[in-house]
Amino acid sequence: MMPAPGRDRFDPADAPGVAVVGGGIAGLAAATLLAERGARVTLYEREESLGGRLAGWRTRLADGSEATMTRGFHAFFRQYYNLRGLLRRTDPGLDRLRPLPDYPLRHSGGLTDSFARVPRTPPLSALGFVALSPTFGWRDLAAMNARAALPLLDVRVPEVYERFDGMSATAFLERVRFPEAAHHLAFEVFSRSFFADPRELSAAELLLMFHIYFLGSSEGLLFDVPNEPFPQALWEPLGDYLRSLGTEVRTGTPVHGVHPCDAGGVEVRTDSVADRHDAAVLALDPGALREVVAASPGLGTPAWRDGIAALVTAPAFLVSRLWLDRPVRADRPGFLGTSGYDGLDNISVLDRYEGEAARWADRTGGSVVELHAYAVPAGTARAAMQNRLAESLRRVYPETRNARIVDARHEWRSDCPFFPVGSHSRRPTVVTPHPRVTLAGDAIRCDLPVALMERAATTGFLAAGTLLAAWGVRGQVLWTVPRAGRTPALRALGAAGRH
């Protein structure tokens, strides 16, 4: 996607002041582009560190050592072109990312899928998964409702939302007659990426994910992970880069209101000051965005404000990190997706890829293991859920049954966006009723084939680019997988499913 034409950057004498509210991926992307074009940027972040939902903080363990705690494992898929472009600002070769060799998926019934040997070129990627998967064989393919499955072959954005946003992910899979095991092991992985129950998630998001990872790109489902904790590998270098461009980075500074000024621009209010800026990017999670807009009565139209107020968050999720006194077996993967294990959605062995965890494991002879549970049912007792995850770990990796837990940290959060059935048309867009206020984040509607962290980065660049275009300054080129199927034959088949 090409930006609107314009001059390369602002002249220092006419550089506007822009507030970026939120220091997660979306806010960092917006601040980076604005600062690179010469705007005077102030970045506000309520927490003490940058990174948003990928931030980290120091904690002291029971053995006296220090560790960096985060909110859990994130996969940096190779289709995250714009996020990777952001990270290249401080790491041109992406040397601080490390590839994981596989993305295994295991069901409690004993079946395991792998993506390591699946071809990455469409349509061989989808066909290869069928051919190699023990949970999705050719008989299953023959039993599918072929006509109902045709839309998978030619996902078009934004048309996919017009056609499938009114259906749940589960309803779509049932209509297609996907085999139950493949349903759990493959497609629930996508819905769980949204921290959502697939019975409530929009089918359009599921189809979009299938397009991004199988038929719209050649990178497949393999991914990279940072080789050190998120702050050290990613956000501290990017914060230093922003400061080198003149950005004022204010961490530990929650914003309580963004108020339009009669003469143009906005006033950003924090605990201690009210700062005047020519424009603002609000790059916040749904709950924080609701709060800021509710506290800013002059911002936007009544209909727009109602749309912001209607944003919902996904159910709570749990991240349990355990420091064990002995190693897990040497052949255990760095990441394992799981299904059917009493709420356990995946296991990460951090010392397989993260330097800090590896150094602790080498020093102590132990291991660092992280467990995730997504979409935890409301009313679940926290201690009981934490114990269930630990017990499920012992089922999946029996060698941990006799391990002593040296220390543990449990992070419960509920601040991720939720995309329920029928919600797409109501989602806020990057552009707002105020010409000098834009929105960014993974909750923001974006009619490009992007999702998750890549949606956050992409909307951050779009939010900054929208402001820059109004000032006659060029934004930046954005890259995505194709907005329709890549293969002419599959597009033709997909078209048949639209009639």
Side-chain angles (χ1 to χ4, degrees):
M1 178 179 175
M2 299 300 295
R7 51 188 170 144
D8 289 341
R9 57 183 291 115
F10 294 103
D11 295 326
D14 70 357
V18 184
V20 176
V21 183
I25 290 174
L28 290 167
T32 295
L33 180 53
L34 289 162
E36 288 174 340
R37 298 297 186 262
R40 294 178 289 107
V41 178
T42 303
L43 176 61
Y44 299 87
E45 168 53 48
R46 67 184 176 188
E47 303 298 335
E48 296 297 333
S49 57
L50 298 174
R53 295 199 294 271
L54 276 76
W57 57 94
R58 301 296 288 171
T59 186
R60 186 169 295 278
L61 302 180
D63 65 358
S65 62
E66 280 200 344
T68 305
M69 185 59 192
T70 70
R71 294 170 39 148
F73 175 92
H74 280 72
F76 288 70
F77 287 99
R78 293 162 195 172
Q79 295 89 345
Y80 289 176
Y81 311 126
N82 299 314
L83 174 57
R84 286 168 174 260
L86 175 65
L87 299 180
R88 287 184 191 277
R89 263 65 170 199
T90 65
D91 185 14
L94 296 181
D95 298 321
R96 294 196 288 266
L97 294 182
R98 173 179 297 175
L100 287 188
D102 197 3
Y103 184 179
L105 307 169
R106 178 172 167 182
H107 191 273
S108 58
L111 296 175
T112 300
D113 273 292
S114 165
F115 293 97
R117 295 187 298 120
V118 174
R120 291 184 293 174
T121 303
L124 298 178
S125 49
L127 295 174
F129 177 69
V130 173
L132 296 171
S133 170
T135 62
F136 193 163
W138 294 108
R139 290 183 179 178
D140 296 312
L141 185 64
M144 285 173 52
N145 181 340
R147 187 169 187 83
L150 287 177
L152 290 167
L153 304 181
D154 186 24
V155 172
R156 296 172 181 264
V157 180
E159 182 192 35
V160 66
Y161 291 102
E162 298 165 5
R163 298 184 61 209
F164 294 101
D165 192 50
M167 177 187 301
S168 74
T170 296
F172 177 80
L173 294 176
E174 290 174 347
R175 173 191 288 189
V176 173
R177 296 200 295 267
F178 263 83
E180 186 68 18
H183 178 167
H184 285 293
L185 281 170
F187 284 84
E188 259 195 26
V189 171
F190 294 144
S191 63
R192 291 293 183 176
S193 297
F194 292 100
F195 303 95
D197 187 321
R199 294 171 297 182
E200 301 177 16
L201 178 71
S202 165
E205 294 292 341
L206 181 73
L207 269 71
L208 177 65
M209 296 286 272
F210 184 87
H211 172 70
I212 291 172
Y213 295 111
F214 277 111
L215 293 181
S217 68
S218 297
E219 288 85 2
L221 262 173
L222 299 183
F223 53 78
D224 305 315
V225 291
N227 60 10
E228 292 292 344
F230 300 136
Q232 297 92 308
L234 308 177
W235 314 132
E236 290 170 5
L238 196 54
D240 291 341
Y241 175 69
L242 285 170
R243 293 183 185 95
S244 76
L245 296 173
T247 299
E248 183 178 357
V249 179
R250 299 186 187 176
T251 54
T253 308
V255 167
H256 301 301
V258 177
H259 302 272
C261 300
D262 291 339
V266 294
E267 182 182 80
V268 174
R269 297 179 186 173
T270 66
D271 287 330
S272 56
V273 296
D275 298 320
R276 173 76 180 273
H277 300 276
D278 295 298
V281 176
L282 306 185
L284 299 164
D285 65 61
L289 181 60
R290 287 196 308 265
E291 291 174 4
V292 168
V293 170
S296 311
L299 188 62
T301 63
W304 179 82
R305 295 173 61 83
D306 288 345
I308 299 297
L311 285 172
V312 294
T313 55
F317 66 92
L318 166 64
V319 174
S320 290
R321 187 174 297 184
L322 311 178
W323 286 262
L324 306 179
D325 71 346
R326 64 197 64 194
V328 298
R329 219 170 64 193
D331 62 339
R332 300 303 190 192
F335 176 86
L336 175 72
T338 56
S339 183
Y341 286 99
D342 202 18
L344 176 68
D345 284 292
N346 59 61
I347 302 172
S348 302
V349 184
L350 271 71
D351 50 275
R352 294 285 189 266
Y353 59 84
E354 185 192 273
E356 182 183 276
R359 291 187 290 274
W360 186 89
D362 288 343
R363 187 173 66 252
T364 64
S367 57
V368 186
V369 177
E370 188 174 275
L371 315 174
H372 288 199
Y374 303 143
V376 178
T380 300
R382 292 191 170 190
M385 189 70 204
Q386 291 161 193
N387 291 335
R388 282 163 54 189
L389 290 196
E391 187 54 39
S392 292
L393 168 66
R394 298 177 185 113
R395 289 176 58 198
V396 181
Y397 293 164
E399 67 272 20
T400 63
R401 288 174 180 163
N402 296 321
R404 180 176 64 88
I405 298 175
V406 176
D407 209 338
R409 295 291 184 275
H410 304 285
E411 289 294 319
W412 284 87
R413 302 294 175 115
S414 180
D415 54 6
C416 297
F418 182 40
F419 306 113
V421 173
S423 65
H424 181 259
S425 63
R426 302 192 303 272
R427 294 181 210 167
T429 62
V430 166
V431 176
T432 78
H434 192 294
R436 289 290 185 264
V437 176
T438 55
L439 303 182
D442 56 353
I444 303 306
R445 175 175 169 175
C446 173
D447 290 337
L448 293 171
V450 291
L452 306 171
M453 291 192 290
E454 181 70 348
R455 186 178 286 162
T458 301
T459 56
F461 287 129
L462 285 171
T466 298
L467 297 177
L468 292 170
W471 285 311
V473 175
R474 176 178 52 84
Q476 75 164 54
V477 176
L478 296 175
W479 295 87
T480 73
V481 302
R483 296 176 74 165
R486 290 177 43 155
T487 308
L490 295 185
R491 286 201 301 271
L493 284 171
R498 289 195 289 273
H499 302 298

